[in-house]
């Protein structure tokens, strides 16, 4: 590939429901544009985009990829994204560097959630829709178009009506130009519009004329007066409408038919990087000033790292978007966040899994470096004398957490090292050792995400682990008061042991502290010098509650009496005496188990409100309120729920809303569990002991 200027580069993210044909259509675009010599297939695991072993095995996209192609003297960087919800992090990365979007919609009935989400994700971008799969048995172009129109309104501007013969699409009518085209091998030839199709073509043409009329007052007047638009007016209005995000051209075909018009439309309608509307916000570190910039190749070179790939052969690959200037091979670059200079000796662009060496890349283009020393995803590389920072990609929080079970003993460190490598690639994965339960916890977006992480650990690092439900950090406290005596007395040979305490145990009222210790000793019944020993004994005992062994909180212990022996008393003896008092006193002071309560915010379309609230009731949750989000059909439901009942929520919410819901949650406080739950927790602790 030659060097492309900012005016000749476009970055197009491909979005759509899982399995709608994104990767297949991209493969056909690459082939049609001459970028590959054979058309890869998902079934054979031979597509340029789904090159990862897991993708080939599962026949779904897992990673975002960049597939650059050349068409009509332009370079189009196509960004393939996975449709499965669990890989939303990959979609966020691609959206960050895209200037426009191609949404692929299956021609079968109903608007998929994936289409709605794609529309929402691309709401700020110029876009084109491709109705795919017209060769499928239950496909219907007319119905799909009507559905799109109903859902997305006047912006929908159909360009084509397919010409079908025996369930196969053999050509199309271009309703913008009012010309027929028939597929002829890999290309198309012009044909007259079949007479019998006029009834079908007319309403679609009307749709595009209506959409065109919306783009200017002048055209609207013309439309109202019943005048015909010229071809030039239509193409001008389409381009303007797409750039301003007022019109969305709709194309149609199958995974290998109708591909050329997609490429043509991208070049005709989408903005080049130089005049893109989706510019970056930049912060100049020296002056602390924020600025919005376009992809200007005349400025000093800078780029934003949007993705990291851990390649088994090459090592770390950092993909970046050139934001300003021209990045040249061998150019040292300053990493603003890390305060370090990187000296990559080669410059690449990435095409699927391949690194293609290039001399320079202009603003708006996408490139790659290998083996950068300090750089990770979300870093900015620029000039040291004017360091800048681009805004980070924001990822959803991973709430689906499981505990790791090492299948062979003693390899915790090996597991940590391998997972840390995966974390470099995957910004939606979290890994931590819980400070209390000491379990190694792995969190992701959903079960598929963690499942694939396990597969990767096995195939890349030969590490096999299992996953289990994590232990919850329960607490224990007391609700009542008990006054008890603890006496430790031993007479064995020489030195004896003597410690004797009387302690009142009661709630301190402060669950954030383990215990409060006081003494009310009169007349030196217990000498002062032993108070610290009593407190130490108390602190040690409070690490384990008496019901199920969970840490104790909110206990007030007051030392009120005791006795001592001049020779036999010792710190150790008083500690032991305290432990005896604790063991006897806590069970008498109405001990209870506390559980972590989460504050949850669920965002769903309003039609799901009843289901979500009903479901919260089953989770022992309290719904705190429902607020509609103005100007949308969405609402936010706030609730407080026990963490124990929210462990599978990412998956349950998805199935309740078919993926239309989102949620966030955070810990708020501890609360007493109901007695039946308490019995279960105690029972479980006994079994595990
Ligand atoms: N009959 C038919 N099958 C298609 C068409 N487009 C895609 N497929 C098949 O549908 C399956 C899924 O296609 P992909 O290209 O992997 O879809 P995708 O949108 O990339 O899927 P994800 O990335 O996993 O979301 C593959 O088996 C394709 O061969 C089409 O137009 N017609
Ligand atoms: Mg795919």
């Amino acid at each position: 590939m030659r060097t492309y200027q900012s005016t000749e580069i476009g970055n197009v993210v491909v979005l759509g429901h899982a399995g709608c044909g994104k990767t297949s259509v991209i493969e056909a675009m690459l082939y049609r544009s001459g970028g590959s010599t054979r058309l890869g297939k998902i079934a054979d695991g031979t597509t340029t985009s789904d090159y990862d072993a897991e993708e080939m095995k599962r026949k779904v996209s897992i990673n975002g990829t960049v597939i650059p192609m050349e068409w009509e003297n332009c370079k189009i960087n196509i960004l393939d994204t996975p449709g499965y919800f669990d890989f939303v992090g990959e979609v966020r990365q691609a959206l960050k560097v895209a200037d426009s979007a191609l949404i692929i919609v299956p021609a079968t009935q109903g608007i998929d959630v994936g289409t709605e989400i794609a529309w929402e994700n691309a709401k700020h971008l110029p876009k084109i829709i491709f109705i795919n799969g017209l060769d499928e048995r239950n496909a219907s172009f007319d119905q799909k178009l009507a559905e799109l129109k109903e859902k997305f309104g006047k912006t929908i501007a159909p360009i084509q009506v397919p010409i079908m013969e025996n369930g196969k699409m053999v050509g199309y009518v271009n309703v913008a130009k009012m010309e027929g085209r028939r597929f002829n091998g890999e290309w198309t030839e012009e044909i007259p519009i079949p007479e019998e199709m006029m009834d079908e073509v007319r309403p679609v043409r009307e749709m595009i004329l209506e959409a065109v009329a919306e783009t200017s007052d002048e055209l609207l007047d013309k439309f109202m007066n019943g005048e015909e638009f010229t071809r030039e007016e239509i193409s001008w209005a389409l381009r303007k409408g797409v750039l301003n995000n007022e019109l969305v051209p709709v194309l149609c075909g199958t995974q290998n038919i109708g591909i050329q018009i997609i490429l043509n439309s991208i070049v005709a309608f989408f903005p080049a990087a130089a005049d893109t509307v989706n510019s970056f916000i930049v912060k100049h570190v020296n002056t602390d000033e924020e600025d919005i910039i376009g992809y200007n190749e005349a400025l000093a070179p800078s780029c934003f790292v949007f993705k990291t790939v851990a390649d088994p052969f090459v090592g770390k690959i950092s993909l970046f978007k050139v934001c300003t200037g021209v990045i040249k091979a061998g150019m040292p670059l300053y990493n603003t966040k890390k305060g370090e200079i990187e000296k990559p000796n080669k410059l690449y662009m990435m095409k699927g899994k391949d690194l293609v060496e290039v001399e320079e890349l202009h603003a708006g283009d996408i490139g790659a470096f290998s083996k950068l020393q300090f750089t990770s995803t979300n870093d900015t590389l620029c000039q040291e004398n004017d360091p800048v920072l681009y805004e980070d990609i924001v990822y959803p929080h991973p709430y689906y957490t499981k505990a790791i079970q090492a299948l062979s003993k003693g390899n915790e460190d090996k597991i940590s090292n391998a997972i840390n490598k995966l974390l470099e690639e995957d910004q939606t994965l979290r890994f931590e050792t819980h400070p209390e339960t000491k379990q190694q916890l792995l969190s992701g977006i959903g079960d598929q995400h963690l499942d694939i992480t396990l597969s990767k650990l096995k195939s890349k690092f030969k590490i096999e682990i299992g996953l289990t439900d994590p232990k919850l950090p329960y607490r224990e406290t007391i609700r009542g008061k008990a006054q008890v005596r603890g006496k430790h007395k031993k007479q064995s040979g020489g030195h004896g042991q003597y410690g004797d305490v009387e302690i009142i145990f009661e709630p301190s009222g402060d669950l954030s502290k383990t215990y409060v210790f006081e003494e009310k000793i009169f007349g030196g019944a217990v000498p002062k010098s032993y108070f610290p020993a009593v407190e130490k004994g108390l602190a040690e005992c409070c690490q384990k509650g008496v019901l199920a062994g969970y840490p104790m909180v909110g206990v007030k212990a007051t030392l009120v009496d005791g006795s001592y022996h001049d020779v036999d008393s010792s710190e150790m003896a008083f500690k032991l005496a305290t432990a005896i008092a604790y063991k006897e006193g806590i069970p008498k002071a109405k001990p209870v188990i506390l559980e972590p309560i989460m504050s949850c915010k669920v965002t769903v379309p309003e039609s799901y409100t009843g289901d979500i609230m009903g479901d919260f009731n089953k989770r022992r949750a309290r719904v705190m309120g429902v607020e509609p989000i103005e100007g949308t059909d969405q609402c936010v439901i706030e609730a407080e729920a026990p963490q124990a009942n929210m462990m599978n929520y990412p998956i349950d919410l998805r199935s309740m809303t078919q993926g239309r819901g989102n949620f966030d949650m955070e810990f708020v406080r501890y609360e007493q569990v109901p007695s039946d739950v308490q019995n279960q927790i105690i029972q479980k602790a006994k079994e595990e002991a």
Side-chain angles (χ1 to χ4, degrees):
M1 261 190 201
R2 66 173 173 90
T3 299
Y4 283 86
Q5 315 292 315
S6 302
T7 48
E8 305 168 311
I9 301 163
N11 300 288
V12 182
V13 60
V14 182
L15 301 166
H17 198 74
C20 67
K22 297 176 286 300
T23 304
S24 306
V25 168
I26 293 168
E27 183 69 17
M29 286 163 72
L30 182 68
Y31 178 69
R32 181 54 54 86
S33 65
S36 65
T37 49
R38 85 181 179 146
L39 183 67
K41 287 205 177 93
I42 294 287
D44 307 338
T46 49
T47 61
T48 311
S49 181
D50 284 0
Y51 63 81
D52 184 275
E54 287 301 321
E55 297 180 312
M56 291 201 253
K57 190 172 92 188
R58 293 166 194 255
K59 314 233 178 299
V60 299
S61 300
I62 295 168
N63 308 306
T65 44
V66 188
I67 315 282
M69 44 190 92
E70 292 171 295
W71 191 255
E72 290 186 1
N73 281 322
C74 293
K75 180 181 182 189
I76 312 171
N77 289 313
I78 294 285
L79 296 143
D80 190 9
T81 62
Y84 280 92
F85 300 121
D86 277 14
F87 314 120
V88 50
E90 302 288 321
V91 180
R92 297 269 169 105
Q93 292 177 335
L95 280 166
K96 176 77 175 181
V97 296
D99 314 318
S100 44
L102 171 66
I103 299 180
I104 305 219
V105 176
T108 43
Q109 214 183 354
I111 294 284
D112 299 284
V113 189
T115 306
E116 286 174 26
I117 294 174
W119 186 269
E120 179 62 26
N121 278 335
K123 64 174 180 237
H124 59 296
L125 294 175
K127 43 194 165 292
I128 293 174
I129 289 178
F130 181 70
I131 300 179
N132 184 40
L134 280 181
D135 57 339
E136 305 259 11
R137 216 159 30 92
N138 48 355
S140 162
F141 170 78
D142 298 347
Q143 190 175 345
K144 195 76 212 182
L145 192 57
E147 284 170 8
L148 288 170
K149 186 92 189 160
E150 194 188 331
K151 184 92 194 161
F152 304 124
K154 279 189 182 162
T155 52
I156 295 295
I159 305 269
Q160 294 169 297
V161 175
I163 303 176
M164 306 294 287
E165 279 175 17
N166 302 324
K168 269 185 84 172
M169 182 174 164
V170 295
Y172 60 86
V173 176
N174 183 323
V175 292
K177 295 181 178 167
M178 280 310 268
E179 73 179 25
R181 295 206 79 88
R182 192 176 182 93
F183 299 121
N184 180 7
E186 297 208 338
W187 305 97
T188 62
E189 58 183 13
E190 189 171 348
I191 52 160
I193 299 176
E195 199 50 44
E196 69 280 7
M197 281 186 69
M198 283 316 282
D199 281 352
E200 195 185 340
V201 166
R202 230 172 269 120
V204 181
R205 164 107 176 146
E206 198 60 23
M207 251 192 233
I208 194 170
L209 296 183
E210 266 178 38
V212 162
E214 291 287 325
T215 57
S216 81
D217 289 345
E218 204 182 314
L219 292 180
L220 186 61
D221 280 349
K222 237 180 145 176
F223 182 72
M224 291 307 202
N225 295 333
E227 289 175 53
E228 279 282 313
F229 297 139
T230 63
R231 264 196 188 199
E232 289 67 35
E233 279 171 336
I234 295 178
S235 38
W236 173 85
L238 280 173
R239 180 161 169 82
K240 175 173 169 274
V242 174
L243 285 179
N244 293 343
N245 205 359
E246 293 162 352
L247 276 193
V248 180
V250 178
L251 308 172
C252 64
T254 74
Q255 58 185 328
N256 43 32
I257 283 180
I259 300 301
Q260 194 180 322
I261 193 168
I262 304 181
L263 288 159
N264 289 340
S265 302
I266 287 175
V267 173
F269 301 140
F270 281 164
D275 35 50
T276 187
V277 281
N278 178 33
S279 311
F280 272 57
I281 295 178
V282 66
K283 185 174 167 189
H284 293 272
V285 177
N286 286 347
T287 55
D288 217 21
E289 270 170 33
E290 277 198 4
D291 205 358
I292 296 178
I293 51 147
Y295 298 110
N296 185 346
E297 52 196 359
L299 299 175
S302 72
C303 63
F304 175 78
V305 176
F306 68 96
K307 183 174 178 61
T308 305
V309 176
D311 186 275
F313 305 107
V314 181
K316 186 168 91 174
I317 301 172
S318 308
L319 280 103
F320 60 85
K321 176 140 185 193
V322 186
C323 300
T324 53
V326 178
I327 304 263
K328 297 192 172 163
M331 182 184 260
L333 288 161
Y334 178 70
N335 183 323
T336 312
K337 274 191 192 163
K338 310 284 160 64
E340 299 277 358
I341 303 264
E342 295 276 14
K343 292 182 181 155
N345 53 11
K346 286 187 177 169
L347 178 65
Y348 303 97
M349 62 175 191
M350 219 179 172
K351 181 177 175 183
K353 68 172 181 306
D354 297 326
L355 287 172
V356 182
E357 215 177 316
V358 291
E359 276 307 306
E360 58 180 49
L361 293 168
H362 289 235
D365 213 340
I366 289 175
F369 289 125
S370 68
K371 301 192 182 75
L372 291 184
Q373 256 186 299
F374 312 102
T375 302
S376 40
T377 302
N378 268 344
D379 284 358
T380 298
L381 298 171
C382 55
Q383 301 305 293
E384 196 178 6
N385 57 6
D386 180 15
V388 293
L389 275 176
Y390 293 104
E391 273 189 322
D392 283 1
I393 303 167
V394 181
Y395 295 92
H397 189 90
Y399 286 116
Y400 187 72
T401 300
K402 291 277 163 187
I404 291 179
Q405 275 180 317
L407 297 184
S408 50
K409 269 250 163 282
N411 58 355
E412 276 83 2
D413 286 350
K414 232 172 111 190
I415 295 174
S416 306
N417 288 341
I419 294 181
N420 280 324
K421 292 223 173 76
L422 294 183
L423 289 175
E424 274 196 345
E425 277 191 301
D426 187 346
Q427 306 288 313
T428 53
L429 197 65
R430 292 272 188 291
F431 176 63
E432 59 165 354
T433 302
H434 195 281
E436 247 174 74
T437 63
K438 305 288 179 244
Q439 282 184 313
Q440 287 184 309
L441 300 180
L442 194 61
S443 305
I445 301 295
D447 48 353
Q448 284 204 22
H449 186 198
L450 293 194
D451 186 37
I452 280 169
T453 304
L454 257 55
S455 283
K456 281 190 189 165
L457 283 173
K458 194 171 164 191
S459 60
K460 289 192 177 176
F461 303 101
K462 310 274 171 288
I463 286 176
E464 279 198 68
I465 57 170
L467 296 178
T468 168
D469 286 336
K471 287 185 195 152
L472 280 181
Y474 291 112
R475 298 273 186 274
E476 298 186 22
T477 191
I478 46 175
R479 289 279 181 244
K481 188 172 174 180
Q483 182 160 355
V484 290
R485 193 132 194 147
K487 196 174 205 176
H488 176 68
K489 189 176 174 189
K490 232 177 193 173
Q491 207 65 55
S492 51
H495 234 305
Q497 295 178 26
Y498 187 90
D500 175 24
V501 292
E502 187 163 332
I503 298 177
I504 298 174
F505 292 102
E506 61 197 317
S508 72
D510 181 3
L511 294 180
S512 70
K513 286 206 184 87
T514 305
Y515 65 86
V516 176
F517 175 67
E518 281 181 12
E519 52 76 26
K520 286 188 181 151
I521 294 292
F522 294 103
V526 177
K528 254 197 184 124
S529 57
Y530 292 126
F531 295 167
V534 175
E535 182 167 357
K536 222 168 164 187
L538 180 71
E540 276 175 23
C541 288
C542 283
Q543 286 172 12
K544 275 190 162 211
V546 296
L547 294 174
Y550 289 102
M552 200 75 178
V553 289
V555 176
K556 181 176 174 190
T558 314
L559 178 64
V560 288
D561 201 2
S563 63
Y564 73 104
H565 189 278
D566 277 342
V567 181
D568 291 348
S569 279
S570 66
E571 278 191 18
M572 180 52 79
F574 271 96
K575 252 175 80 176
L576 290 170
T578 309
I580 291 165
Y582 177 88
K583 275 200 194 95
E584 195 185 326
I586 298 295
K588 290 181 182 160
K590 300 208 182 85
V592 291
I593 294 182
L594 305 173
E595 64 181 343
I597 301 292
M598 310 301 282
S599 155
C600 315
K601 265 190 191 166
V602 186
T603 310
V604 287
E606 268 169 321
S607 54
Y608 292 101
T609 315
D611 291 351
I612 299 296
M613 290 183 17
D615 173 75
F616 265 132
N617 284 335
K618 288 187 216 140
R619 291 176 199 267
R620 290 198 283 119
R622 268 188 304 270
V623 175
M624 316 294 283
V626 182
E627 279 290 327
I629 305 177
E630 237 174 89
T632 70
D633 65 344
Q634 308 268 312
C635 67
V636 178
I637 300 156
E638 288 196 42
E640 288 184 355
Q643 189 183 8
N645 295 344
M646 293 300 286
M647 303 304 276
N648 277 330
Y649 203 66
I651 293 167
D652 298 342
L653 177 66
R654 192 180 293 171
S655 69
M656 278 187 287
T657 63
Q658 288 83 47
R660 290 181 174 90
N662 283 306
F663 85 108
D664 270 307
M665 66 178 180
E666 60 180 1
F667 168 78
V668 269
R669 66 176 163 274
Y670 275 95
E671 268 181 24
Q672 185 175 339
V673 299
S675 61
D676 56 329
V677 178
Q678 173 157 316
N679 290 339
Q680 285 166 19
I681 297 171
I682 293 172
Q683 185 60 32
K684 197 150 181 238
K686 271 189 193 146
E687 284 163 14
E688 282 171 6

